[in-house]
Amino acid sequence: LRRAVKIKHSPGAEWDNPMQFVLACVSYAVGLGNVWRFPYLCQMHGGGGFLIPYMLMLVLLGVPLFYMELAIGQKMRLGSIGAWRAISPYLGGVGLASVVTSMYLCLYYNVINAWSFWYLFHSFQSVLPWAKCPVNSNKTGPVEECERATPTQYFFYRETLDISGSIEENGGIHMGQALCLLLAWIIVYLFIVKGVKSTGKVVYFTATFPYLVLIIYLIRGVTLHGAINGVKYMFTPKMEQLAKPTTWINAATQIFFSLGLGFGSLIAFASYNQYNNNFEKQAIVVSMVNSSTSIFASIVTFSIYGFKATFNYESCLERVRLLLLNTFDLAEDTISLENVNHWIAELNRTHPEQFASLGSRLETCDLEAELDTAVEGTGLAFIVYSEAIKNMPVSQLWSVLYFIMLLLLGMGSMLGNVIAVITPLSDLKIISVLSYPVGLVCLFCLLLGLGFTTRSGNYWFTMFNDYGATFSLLFIVLIEVITVCYIYGIKRFEKDVEDMLGHRLNWYWKIMLAGVSPMLLITLFIFYIVNYIQGGTPTYQAWNKELGKSVVTEYPPYAQAFIGLLLASSVCCIPLTALYTYWKKRNLASGKRERTVSTVSA
């Protein structure tokens, strides 16, 4: 560790106080996944019943690994590459793999912030542009693609993305999106240009303001008509889901990824702590805040989701009511929304032939079916929420608040992603010789990220999101915990903790780190590989403008090859760096022997 001390961060490169560090971790860990992925998983895996495996995985996997990464960063006072090299020269590849994975995340994650800017700028209109379909070029009616889909889907896929029909159909850059991406990267640069001194000030806002917006949305959400339907749906457990292995696997991976383990960001953040900072308490606090936020955000999401589902259900009933009134020439007040189903059965019994003539015009309205429609990721954030917002009174206000919240959540996570790249490279003096290292990293990511603003860019975005981090993070954290417990040694780690905190590891940390967590990670890793092999050819959702919906499409061969490259590129850093270190040491040793022999001969 003497060598590690020599190349630690420069003096003064520390958080002003422990609160800044906690807020930085909260701002990084609490991100878009809490708002859209957790509600989706909760809906898919049995509502309130999903909380059981989720909380278990938090205790068995999330908190111990979070604790471990903070301890490593604070002890070594280095970024991910330097920290693992300090433990063993052969393990520098673990940190390098984290940097590569974080770089992939930087490339596409800021695109979500660009979309948020796009929606925010379009929120300042008298009528929200996703509230109704635009008129076609002939001024004879709405655009056909929008009629086949919905106004919110049309605005996202056509106006925001101008998406192509498949990944093989390329097109030019969407200038509006490119400018929004440029703005997003300028803001990220300004947030971190002065290191932790500027980042530490920013996190006071990025970590707290989203909670204010969520509280406002909760108050508004629970007062919406039909909100209770969504909240009841969320907390109604489907216990049969607990018998499915995928429920437990998804609970573990959600904990794993939402805390930001394996990216190197937590190690980088902790490296700016004072040596005797109480990271143990902070690890527990941040983990609990992150998980509580997921549950809190889900209540907000499901209240709005219940409003949307109820609105769609009652709109369907109203269309059926009008159809029955006009077809059977009934008085206006004969049929109400409450007795529509009764009249359907009655008219079918009394006028079977006339009722049969309705055919496909008679819709089937089902509230449970509306609530069962699971939407993940960008679909939940930019389509479902937008559709609910447009039906609220003063919809522009709620739209502005929502997309500001998304921006702050996204920006908070981006700070951690970029710092995870810059800190280890600075420690190795790779970019510190340059005049503007932060600016060059941001510019590099911006230029490569422009590819996601092309017409086929969203398909590449999906590819990076699905395959850029999952496999590599599982492998990285598995190597990390094995390294700490069985290569560096749990006893040496225990002494380091005692040196920093004044007390040794208690039984909980020892059992989790040395036994339970590695076994769970190995299980997850094997499951991912088996699931990937059994899944067959990788597929993606391609937008079909003729149908007005997404259709499942197989990736072409070159895209499948790129997926393989994404999966392997970061993981390969670990064995390749170890082999390079071995080769370098062997050559160095050989050179010393040759010089010794030459000297003796002389």
Side-chain angles (χ1 to χ4, degrees):
L1 297 182
R2 292 192 188 96
R3 182 173 59 84
V5 174
K6 291 179 183 178
I7 59 171
K8 67 181 181 181
H9 301 318
S10 58
E14 292 182 347
W15 302 107
D16 289 344
N17 53 68
M19 180 57 70
Q20 282 190 357
F21 169 68
V22 171
L23 290 176
C25 289
V26 169
S27 182
Y28 170 65
V30 176
L32 299 173
N34 300 76
V35 175
W36 67 35
R37 180 166 169 76
F38 181 81
Y40 164 76
L41 292 174
C42 197
Q43 180 187 28
M44 186 172 69
H45 292 299
F50 181 70
L51 298 178
I52 298 172
Y54 178 77
M55 296 308 295
L56 279 174
M57 290 300 171
L58 173 67
V59 173
L60 300 177
L61 190 64
V63 179
L65 295 177
F66 197 87
Y67 173 93
M68 181 191 73
E69 290 205 354
L70 294 189
I72 291 295
Q74 187 165 309
K75 174 64 181 178
M76 303 306 178
R77 312 279 287 165
L78 292 162
S80 55
I81 297 177
W84 295 110
R85 283 181 63 189
I87 291 176
S88 170
Y90 295 100
L91 293 173
V94 178
L96 185 58
S98 294
V99 170
V100 172
T101 304
S102 293
M103 179 64 76
Y104 288 158
L105 195 64
C106 287
L107 291 179
Y108 77 87
Y109 199 91
N110 224 15
V111 176
I112 304 174
N113 293 326
W115 295 342
S116 297
F117 271 123
W118 176 265
Y119 271 78
L120 178 62
F121 296 150
H122 281 82
S123 298
F124 297 97
Q125 298 185 24
S126 56
V127 178
L128 293 176
W130 55 85
K132 61 180 183 180
C133 289
V135 180
N136 61 29
S137 56
N138 298 327
K139 310 294 183 184
T140 57
V143 175
E144 290 184 10
E145 183 181 359
C146 185
E147 277 192 307
R148 296 189 193 101
T150 63
T152 47
Q153 287 178 316
Y154 179 82
F155 184 81
F156 180 69
Y157 288 110
R158 186 56 53 214
E159 299 291 342
T160 303
L161 304 178
D162 192 21
I163 197 166
S164 61
S166 73
I167 196 172
E168 298 178 88
E169 297 177 26
N170 298 313
I173 290 175
H174 188 312
M175 288 307 300
Q177 285 301 314
L179 291 173
C180 287
L181 184 61
L182 173 62
L183 177 61
W185 273 111
I186 288 174
I187 292 176
V188 170
Y189 169 75
L190 294 175
F191 280 178
I192 62 175
V193 64
K194 294 184 179 179
V196 294
K197 293 300 180 184
S198 59
T199 304
K201 303 297 188 297
V202 170
V203 294
Y204 283 111
F205 186 64
T206 59
T208 56
F209 187 77
Y211 287 98
L212 176 62
V213 177
L214 280 174
I215 291 170
I216 294 172
Y217 252 95
L218 177 66
I219 296 170
R220 181 68 187 110
V222 295
T223 59
L224 290 170
H225 174 62
I228 191 64
N229 293 326
V231 176
K232 284 196 310 189
Y233 183 88
M234 173 188 171
F235 285 105
T236 302
K238 299 174 183 174
M239 303 306 289
E240 66 275 8
Q241 289 285 337
L242 297 181
K244 298 181 179 179
T246 51
T247 302
W248 295 85
I249 296 296
N250 282 332
T253 52
Q254 175 63 16
I255 286 290
F256 186 80
F257 298 116
S258 67
L259 287 175
L261 302 168
F263 287 105
S265 302
L266 299 175
I267 293 176
F269 280 152
S271 69
Y272 296 105
N273 278 336
Q274 294 183 1
Y275 187 74
N276 298 115
N277 174 65
N278 189 355
F279 64 86
E280 182 174 279
K281 182 172 70 174
Q282 293 165 342
I284 296 171
V285 168
V286 174
S287 300
M288 293 302 151
V289 167
N290 179 65
S291 298
S292 300
T293 302
S294 293
I295 297 171
F296 176 53
S298 290
I299 296 173
V300 177
T301 298
F302 274 91
S303 66
I304 293 174
Y305 201 68
F307 164 68
K308 171 192 169 290
T310 303
F311 181 86
N312 290 346
Y313 171 65
E314 292 184 350
S315 298
C316 175
L317 289 178
E318 178 62 20
R319 291 192 298 271
V320 172
R321 188 182 79 88
L322 292 175
L323 178 64
L324 295 178
L325 290 175
N326 294 331
T327 303
F328 295 94
D329 197 22
L330 300 171
E332 180 70 23
D333 58 351
T334 304
I335 305 177
S336 65
L337 295 182
E338 289 73 24
N339 63 14
V340 166
N341 291 325
H342 166 75
W343 275 99
I344 289 175
E346 183 65 20
L347 292 171
N348 188 25
R349 183 180 64 81
T350 56
H351 302 79
E353 293 183 3
Q354 192 175 3
F355 189 88
S357 67
L358 295 176
S360 60
R361 290 184 296 160
L362 184 65
E363 300 176 66
T364 301
C365 305
D366 188 348
L367 178 59
E368 192 70 16
E370 289 286 347
L371 290 167
D372 280 337
T373 307
V375 182
E376 184 183 10
T378 53
L380 178 60
F382 293 99
I383 297 177
V384 174
Y385 261 93
S386 297
E387 191 168 334
I389 287 170
K390 75 178 185 181
N391 295 315
M392 294 181 186
V394 199
S395 55
Q396 292 81 1
L397 171 64
W398 300 109
S399 182
V400 168
L401 280 175
Y402 174 68
F403 289 110
I404 287 177
M405 179 189 72
L406 276 193
L407 273 171
L408 291 175
L409 289 172
M411 286 295 175
S413 297
M414 276 302 299
L415 298 182
N417 298 334
V418 177
I419 287 175
V421 174
I422 292 174
T423 300
L425 296 183
S426 298
D427 290 338
L428 293 179
K429 314 300 180 187
I430 292 177
I431 62 174
S432 58
V433 296
L434 303 174
S435 300
Y436 305 100
V438 176
L440 288 172
V441 170
C442 291
L443 179 62
F444 176 76
C445 292
L446 167 64
L447 294 176
L448 290 183
L450 288 175
F452 297 115
T453 67
T454 62
R455 295 195 63 206
S456 61
N458 187 60
Y459 303 129
W460 292 97
F461 171 93
T462 302
M463 186 190 299
F464 270 79
N465 189 40
D466 290 343
Y467 301 103
T470 309
F471 178 76
S472 57
L473 289 181
L474 286 171
F475 188 70
I476 289 168
V477 178
L478 177 60
I479 297 297
E480 285 183 355
V481 73
I482 290 175
T483 296
V484 168
C485 295
Y486 300 106
I487 297 178
Y488 186 70
I490 193 71
K491 290 185 177 179
R492 291 175 66 188
F493 181 69
E494 189 176 12
K495 288 179 182 178
D496 291 340
V497 170
E498 184 179 19
D499 190 34
M500 289 184 284
L501 301 182
H503 63 81
R504 293 201 165 198
L505 291 172
N506 61 36
W507 62 269
Y508 167 74
W509 302 115
K510 288 181 182 178
I511 293 173
M512 293 300 110
L513 289 174
V516 177
S517 295
M519 290 304 299
L520 277 174
L521 284 170
I522 291 171
T523 303
L524 284 169
F525 189 70
I526 293 172
F527 177 83
Y528 185 91
I529 294 174
V530 172
N531 190 56
Y532 181 76
I533 294 172
Q534 292 180 343
T537 305
T539 60
Y540 65 101
Q541 296 284 338
W543 178 253
N544 188 317
K545 67 178 183 180
E546 303 301 328
L547 299 176
K549 63 179 183 180
S550 298
V551 294
V552 177
T553 308
E554 290 187 353
Y555 280 111
Y558 68 87
Q560 294 178 39
F562 190 82
I563 289 172
L565 179 64
L566 278 179
L567 292 172
S569 54
S570 54
V571 171
C572 284
C573 294
I574 298 174
L576 291 178
T577 302
L579 287 172
Y580 173 75
T581 303
Y582 173 76
W583 174 80
K584 191 175 179 182
K585 283 194 170 188
R586 186 176 179 182
N587 284 354
L588 187 63
S590 300
K592 285 183 178 179
R593 283 197 298 270
E594 288 176 3
R595 286 195 296 272
T596 303
V597 171
S598 299
T599 304
V600 172
S601 299

